[in-house]
Amino acid sequence: MHLALVIPNYNHRQAITATLERLAPFNLPCYLVNDGSDDETRYLLIQLAKQYDWVTLLHHPLNRGKGAAVTTGLRAAYADGYSHALQVDADGQHDLDDIPAMITKATEQPQALISGLPQYDESVPKGRLYGRYITHFWVWVETLSLEIKDSMCGFRVYPLAETEALFLRQSLGERMDFDIEILVKLYWQGVQIIHLPTKVIYPDDGSSHFQGIKDNLRISAMHTKLFFGMLKRLPNLLSRHTDRQEYKHWSRMGERGSYWGIKLLATSYKIGGHWLCRAIMYPVICYFFLTGKTARTASLAFLQQVQQVDPKHPQLQGVIGWRHSLKHFIAFGNAALDRIDAWCDRIQLSQVDFPQRELLANQLQQGKGAVLLVSHLGNLELCRAISIHQHKVKVNVMVLTENAEHFNRVLKQLNPNSALNLIQVTELGPSTSMLLQQKIEQGELVVIAGDRTSSNSEGRVIYAPFMGKEAPFPQGPFILAGLLDCPVYLMFCIREQGRYQVHLEHFVDSLKGPRAGRMQRLEQAVKHYSTRLEHYARREPMQWFNFFDFWRKDEELQREASTKSSPLTPNRTDK
């Protein structure tokens, strides 16, 4: 790799001297581009170029913009035979100590573009921070990918051959739109984007040349063009994602969507309520629908199975196709808003039909808690309504850390004083059992989902009929309910005819019993649970939010995984 530095400069007198001093030990040739600076800055740059023989000073007679200055530097470096260029801004925001890591990564991945991923401190202006995430959202739409985690950081290593090829084919913006546009178009061209975390500060004496109205209009116009450019490339972009996807156990599927993306939705909810949040959320849902082959396939399979057992279902008429599945995804997005409503105390008791409320109230008045067996059908966060209106009882919800960490973290920030306690676990073990036993003895509710196996319990399942086929259900929730030795209730929270409906059913006084009949009790309990789950899932199939192959046998997955991890070996007989 043959690397040079590129630094655009427009009237940055305060920081450029210190920046070059810190760059000197790297002993890298540098293209310093004076983008039509004033006389004082121009004289300073000429002096610095004489002081450092590794600096080549290039001039624009007039100010053309940051993008034009970077382009001039990149093309000059390429013309002089360099293979890569490291762009560094002149304003002192970048942590130059990260340069060795960026060079190492560029050496390992010479065809990739290496970009800094900003880690901000308290100096960042909040308006700039939130504005960045609006741009990130549109970049994710324009690339149909989350690969570009930050498109505005000016600390990056360009592969010059690929970049020059882009310059020869297309014109790019010359001002603050440049950093975003070149990253998107290089991605379209097939260049991999790799991010490295880097600290970014906003110095107290720093200056910004971002022109609020003009640059925002430029960026908006650029996003409009990029969006229509994405539509022309839609088949190719989709094929880059769908071809890579393969089935894996649901508990190993990461949460789709970054923390800041979910944070942006929550912020829009706080500012503009449902209408603003939906305006941002629906394009995101369409993106996940287009790129989420595994979830889309699972959605179609589930809806087709429901139609098979209930051919006259009013929500599933005709041949099940992509429109049904898209409606399924949109229902999931609407349920996410319902979850935020519930967490932020915006759901009033008058909005909730809860005819069996007294059944639970009578149990809690005895001073001992209970287990609520729930599912990923409908709106689990309506437990929040129970915690408010059932004598302020504490509700503890078991959640798997890996699969909704970002969403749960944002929920906590929206209402830190919530009486709904999310207990994040990786598996239901002895320590979890002891913690929950204390909760029950204190008269609190423990909520456990019974329709998903945990990340460490593949194979420890019980098969029960569900929608006409045998489906695996986890043993863990039912074993745990038995250890807690308390009443168990089933609860399903679904939206019907525009209102929240909470269906509460007494399940069993206790699942504890002699060891001799333990497996039989578990099988009976799971079968009862699956029967009731099917009943309510058939009522509102669009509120079934298990976007994975629910009927897939764990042993099949384990067998496939072992086949992929081990090469084929010939059979042999030991003598």
Side-chain angles (χ1 to χ4, degrees):
M1 185 177 70
H2 200 24
L3 179 71
L5 296 168
V6 170
I7 304 178
N9 189 301
Y10 175 59
N11 291 336
H12 282 296
R13 291 189 299 275
Q14 295 85 352
I16 187 60
T17 301
T19 298
L20 291 178
E21 287 177 357
R22 293 194 60 197
L23 289 171
F26 294 105
N27 195 30
L28 292 170
C30 174
Y31 292 86
L32 177 60
V33 184
N34 169 34
D35 187 32
S37 300
D38 57 28
D39 289 343
E40 186 176 354
T41 304
R42 181 163 54 88
Y43 293 145
L44 173 62
L45 298 181
I46 293 173
Q47 180 183 350
L48 290 171
K50 292 178 180 179
Q51 179 181 346
Y52 299 109
D53 59 3
W54 45 274
V55 173
T56 299
L57 183 61
L58 306 173
H59 290 281
H60 288 172
L62 301 173
N63 175 249
R64 292 171 52 191
K66 177 187 176 182
V70 173
T71 300
T72 295
L74 295 178
R75 303 200 75 173
Y78 181 74
D80 289 343
Y82 292 97
S83 65
H84 291 76
L86 171 59
Q87 176 189 341
V88 178
D89 286 350
D91 54 9
Q93 291 185 14
H94 299 149
D95 186 355
L96 303 183
D97 292 336
D98 289 331
I99 287 179
M102 298 191 76
I103 294 175
T104 299
K105 183 59 69 174
T107 303
E108 295 171 352
Q109 302 281 347
Q111 267 74 51
L113 184 145
I114 314 301
S115 175
L117 181 61
Q119 310 295 303
Y120 295 106
D121 61 13
E122 294 302 320
S123 66
V124 59
K126 297 305 180 186
R128 295 280 294 274
L129 183 63
Y130 295 138
R132 293 179 78 92
Y133 286 102
I134 294 175
T135 283
H136 298 344
F137 160 73
W138 281 112
V139 168
W140 297 335
V141 171
E142 291 150 7
T143 60
L144 296 182
S145 167
L146 298 176
E147 187 171 331
I148 300 179
K149 297 179 174 62
D150 187 289
S151 59
M152 302 179 73
C153 181
F155 191 27
R156 52 180 69 161
V157 179
Y158 287 92
L160 289 179
E162 290 80 359
T163 305
E164 179 67 15
L166 177 63
F167 287 148
L168 291 175
R169 287 200 309 271
Q170 298 191 38
S171 62
L172 281 77
E174 292 194 335
R175 294 192 176 272
M176 294 298 182
D177 49 350
F178 172 82
D179 284 340
I180 306 165
E181 185 176 13
I182 191 171
L183 220 59
V184 170
K185 290 187 173 180
L186 283 174
Y187 179 85
W188 287 352
Q189 191 173 287
V191 174
Q192 183 182 6
I193 312 297
I194 298 175
H195 292 272
L196 290 179
T198 184
K199 292 181 180 178
V200 175
I201 63 170
Y202 282 76
D204 293 336
D205 57 350
S207 60
S208 172
H209 301 302
F210 189 88
Q211 302 173 356
I213 296 177
K214 289 184 178 180
D215 280 323
N216 277 320
L217 288 174
R218 284 191 192 97
I219 291 174
S220 297
M222 174 205 64
H223 281 310
T224 301
K225 291 190 296 182
L226 290 177
F227 176 77
F228 286 104
M230 176 272 293
L231 293 180
K232 292 194 323 187
R233 297 166 175 82
L234 191 60
N236 290 334
L237 291 173
L238 287 177
S239 67
R240 289 171 66 173
H241 301 287
T242 56
D243 291 345
R244 299 178 197 166
Q245 297 186 27
E246 61 182 33
Y247 182 82
K248 55 184 174 180
H249 191 270
W250 81 269
S251 58
R252 293 182 185 142
M253 299 177 185
E255 184 177 14
R256 297 195 73 195
S258 70
Y259 166 73
W260 284 107
I262 297 172
K263 178 75 170 177
L264 173 62
L265 288 177
T267 302
S268 67
Y269 174 87
K270 292 173 67 175
I271 296 173
H274 280 207
W275 70 269
L276 179 58
C277 196
R278 282 196 172 96
I280 296 174
M281 182 181 69
Y282 284 161
V284 175
I285 291 172
C286 290
Y287 159 75
F288 285 132
F289 175 77
L290 291 171
T291 61
K293 182 180 179 181
T294 299
R296 194 171 62 246
T297 301
S299 168
L300 287 170
F302 173 75
L303 297 178
Q304 289 166 355
Q305 192 64 31
V306 176
Q307 186 185 59
Q308 184 174 332
V309 297
D310 191 357
K312 297 183 179 181
H313 198 289
Q315 298 179 25
L316 302 175
Q317 295 301 301
V319 178
I320 300 297
W322 68 267
R323 291 181 178 83
H324 293 89
S325 184
L326 178 58
K327 186 177 179 181
H328 195 186
F329 275 65
I330 291 174
F332 175 74
N334 289 332
L337 290 183
D338 288 344
R339 293 175 66 185
I340 298 175
D341 276 340
W343 192 269
C344 294
D345 301 345
R346 294 191 180 183
I347 295 180
Q348 303 300 318
L349 189 59
S350 58
Q351 299 174 266
V352 181
D353 292 331
F354 191 1
Q356 301 90 2
R357 185 182 299 111
E358 293 303 317
L359 183 65
L360 192 59
N362 294 335
Q363 168 65 31
L364 297 174
Q365 287 174 0
Q366 299 175 19
K368 190 175 181 180
V371 168
L372 298 182
L373 276 178
V374 298
S375 67
H376 292 81
L377 173 72
N379 185 357
L380 178 62
E381 268 65 27
L382 275 177
C383 295
R384 173 72 182 136
I386 298 175
S387 70
I388 296 172
H389 302 294
Q390 288 289 343
H391 309 289
K392 300 293 183 180
V393 65
K394 190 74 171 286
V395 180
N396 304 279
V397 180
M398 308 294 296
V399 294
L400 287 176
T401 305
E402 298 96 331
N403 300 92
E405 182 176 3
H406 296 327
F407 192 87
N408 294 330
R409 181 179 167 194
V410 171
L411 285 181
K412 281 285 191 182
Q413 293 174 3
L414 287 172
N415 188 355
N417 299 319
S418 172
L420 184 59
N421 180 35
L422 298 180
I423 301 178
Q424 298 188 346
V425 297
T426 55
E427 65 174 333
L428 301 178
S431 60
T432 304
S433 176
M434 293 176 62
L435 171 64
L436 297 182
Q437 186 66 59
Q438 294 177 358
K439 302 292 185 184
I440 293 295
E441 292 173 354
Q442 294 167 4
E444 300 178 11
L445 293 175
V446 172
V447 180
I448 310 173
D451 59 342
R452 292 186 183 179
T453 54
S454 73
S455 56
N456 296 311
S457 66
E458 287 183 36
R460 297 199 295 271
V461 298
I462 294 174
Y463 289 92
F466 181 74
M467 297 289 180
K469 295 168 64 176
E470 293 286 310
F473 289 87
Q475 297 177 12
F478 300 90
I479 294 174
L480 181 59
L483 293 174
L484 296 178
D485 190 19
C486 65
V488 181
Y489 297 85
L490 298 181
M491 189 175 74
F492 301 93
C493 310
I494 55 180
R495 192 177 181 93
E496 299 177 290
Q497 299 178 346
R499 292 182 58 80
Y500 304 101
Q501 308 284 338
V502 180
H503 302 277
L504 185 72
E505 302 178 6
H506 180 264
F507 189 67
V508 67
D509 288 331
S510 175
L511 282 173
K512 188 175 183 179
R515 290 180 61 88
R518 174 178 156 180
M519 185 52 65
Q520 183 180 4
R521 286 196 308 276
L522 286 177
E523 291 175 351
Q524 291 176 346
V526 169
K527 186 175 181 180
H528 183 191
Y529 172 84
S530 67
T531 299
R532 301 310 296 158
L533 178 62
E534 176 179 334
H535 170 77
Y536 289 105
R538 287 175 62 173
R539 287 173 63 163
E540 292 294 336
M542 291 297 177
Q543 295 182 47
W544 172 263
F545 302 134
N546 282 314
F547 290 97
F548 60 92
D549 187 350
F550 193 76
W551 291 276
R552 192 173 184 95
K553 291 179 169 56
D554 279 3
E555 52 266 30
E556 291 179 5
L557 180 58
Q558 291 170 337
R559 185 165 56 249
E560 290 178 9
S562 63
T563 301
K564 290 180 180 179
S565 61
S566 303
L568 289 175
T569 55
N571 293 330
R572 70 174 194 172
T573 302
D574 292 329
K575 296 183 179 178

